[in-house]
Amino acid sequence: MPRYLIRRLGQAVLVVAGVIVLTFAIMRLVPGDPAVAYAGPKATAAELADARRRFGLDDPLPVQLWKYVRDLLGGDWGTSLHTRQPVRDDLLQAFPASLELVGAALIIALVVGIPLGIAAARYKGRLPDLSVRLSSMLAVSVPVFWLALALQTVFASGLGWFPVAGEYDASLDRTSPLHLYTNITAVDALITGNWPILTSTLAHMVLPALVIAAYPAGVVAQMTRAALIEESSRDHARLERALGFGETAVLTRFALRPALNPVLSLIALVFAYSIVNGFLVEAVFNWPGLGRYAADSIRSLDTPAIAGVTLLVAVLYVVANLVVDLLQGVVDPRVRAR
């Protein structure tokens, strides 16, 4: 296990290093002059020169890359051109809201997708299987922005069952102010016992979380079904049936654990995809997360902020993959020998 861990950590470091270089290249290839975006279109030549010196734009590219890597390792992710705040502080403010939404969506996806996959494998070729395959195909295929608008129109604007947009009722800031510890609203409300904001946040979270959960739930259901069918056809499953175990017991007690390996691998991909996919959902539901920050940064050609969001998502993807690799090594010792 230690050798396996070291190998995976080395691969993760190489991927992050490649992402840093790629992010730097994108910053330099994006049209527009960061100095103009920072100083303003009416800036004088002296103000533009000062902005270029501040951002090191006159240095040779290798020097700029070295300074960029040095600053990243030192915790300096640059200064946002539209908020005039450190990008790291902006990301620390916006990311918890996105993590809160995507975390809820992934929990829904796993709670729904794995049981549906088990049911589909148990009744392969019969009505439950066909229903799960059809519903998962629809969940994977439907455009996320269309689903967001549809749920918002029907269940929020039409029936009034859920709030239309926002993270929670803004009037609660006056009547029940929230003390922040983690910047994740639901967690902080639960820690401090702020039940009005907790219930409001959960109500606001239902529709956007369901929209984000649609794709991963469909994929998890399909992957669980396929992995269980493959695993239940192996020799050990035939032996277990010969010993008198029923089909449900074979699937859930013996085949499920090894079948979860590909599902765990999928979670890392789905997590990073859901973070990016959530940008559109956050825009529709006005959720104050990375999506809104990224949209504002793109509109203002804020290259440091755009690079910060890109780098953060890439690092999250690498970390998620690393965690899943380690979990696979714990669940299945055969993975460590690869």
Side-chain angles (χ1 to χ4, degrees):
M1 191 67 184
R3 187 177 302 174
Y4 175 77
L5 175 61
I6 292 172
R7 186 169 68 249
R8 291 303 185 188
L9 284 173
Q11 293 173 352
V13 170
L14 289 177
V15 172
V16 171
V19 169
I20 290 175
V21 175
L22 183 60
T23 303
F24 173 80
I26 292 174
M27 289 175 60
R28 294 300 175 261
L29 294 175
V30 169
D33 189 347
V36 175
Y38 181 81
K42 298 182 180 179
T44 64
E47 291 172 336
L48 288 175
D50 181 68
R52 295 188 67 83
R53 281 194 301 271
R54 175 173 182 170
F55 291 106
L57 298 176
D58 293 328
D59 295 332
L61 284 178
V63 176
Q64 293 184 42
L65 176 59
W66 159 247
K67 290 182 177 179
Y68 179 63
V69 174
R70 181 197 62 191
D71 292 342
L72 283 178
L73 295 178
D76 182 3
W77 288 37
T79 302
S80 170
L81 303 180
H82 76 281
T83 67
R84 305 300 176 95
Q85 300 294 325
V87 171
R88 187 186 65 174
D89 294 347
D90 287 343
L91 294 177
L92 290 175
Q93 185 69 29
F95 176 64
S98 295
L99 182 63
E100 176 182 48
L101 191 57
V102 171
L106 289 182
I107 291 173
I108 294 172
L110 292 174
V111 169
V112 173
I114 292 178
L116 286 180
I118 295 173
R122 172 64 179 83
Y123 300 99
K124 178 185 175 184
R126 296 159 64 180
L127 181 59
D129 181 27
L130 297 176
S131 300
V132 169
R133 290 165 65 185
L134 177 60
S135 59
S136 62
M137 187 181 302
L138 290 175
V140 169
S141 304
V142 65
V144 64
F145 63 88
W146 182 90
L147 183 59
L149 291 173
L151 293 186
Q152 188 182 60
T153 301
V154 174
F155 295 104
S157 301
L159 298 175
W161 291 356
F162 300 100
V164 175
E167 188 178 16
Y168 59 87
D169 188 350
S171 64
L172 293 175
D173 286 332
R174 298 189 300 273
T175 59
S176 303
L178 179 64
H179 299 285
L180 297 177
Y181 295 97
T182 65
N183 279 335
I184 301 177
T185 303
V187 174
D188 290 336
L190 182 62
I191 291 174
T192 59
N194 194 326
W195 308 123
I197 285 189
L198 178 61
T199 55
S200 179
T201 300
L202 294 177
H204 282 76
M205 191 188 300
V206 170
L207 292 183
L210 286 176
V211 174
I212 297 176
Y215 178 86
V219 175
V220 167
Q222 293 177 357
M223 181 65 73
T224 303
R225 174 189 178 274
L228 278 175
I229 290 175
E230 180 182 357
E231 197 65 32
S232 63
S233 65
R234 297 185 184 276
D235 292 339
H236 72 84
R238 286 192 287 269
L239 176 60
E240 289 144 8
R241 292 188 187 97
L243 292 174
F245 290 99
E247 191 64 24
T248 301
V250 171
L251 290 175
T252 57
R253 292 181 59 182
F254 302 105
L256 182 59
R257 180 173 176 177
L260 286 180
N261 267 334
V263 177
L264 286 175
S265 299
L266 185 69
I267 295 301
L269 296 173
V270 166
F271 174 73
Y273 175 83
S274 298
I275 289 286
V276 178
N277 204 31
F279 287 6
L280 291 174
V281 179
E282 290 179 9
V284 173
F285 289 97
N286 195 28
W287 192 267
L290 283 177
R292 191 165 69 182
Y293 181 70
D296 293 341
S297 302
I298 292 171
R299 279 195 295 266
S300 58
L301 291 177
D302 189 347
T303 51
I306 296 171
V309 172
T310 304
L311 185 59
L312 176 61
V313 172
V315 170
L316 289 174
Y317 172 78
V318 171
V319 171
N321 267 286
L322 180 61
V323 171
V324 168
D325 285 342
L326 297 180
L327 288 176
Q328 281 187 306
V330 173
V331 172
D332 188 354
R334 294 174 299 177
V335 175
R336 301 197 294 265
R338 294 176 186 173

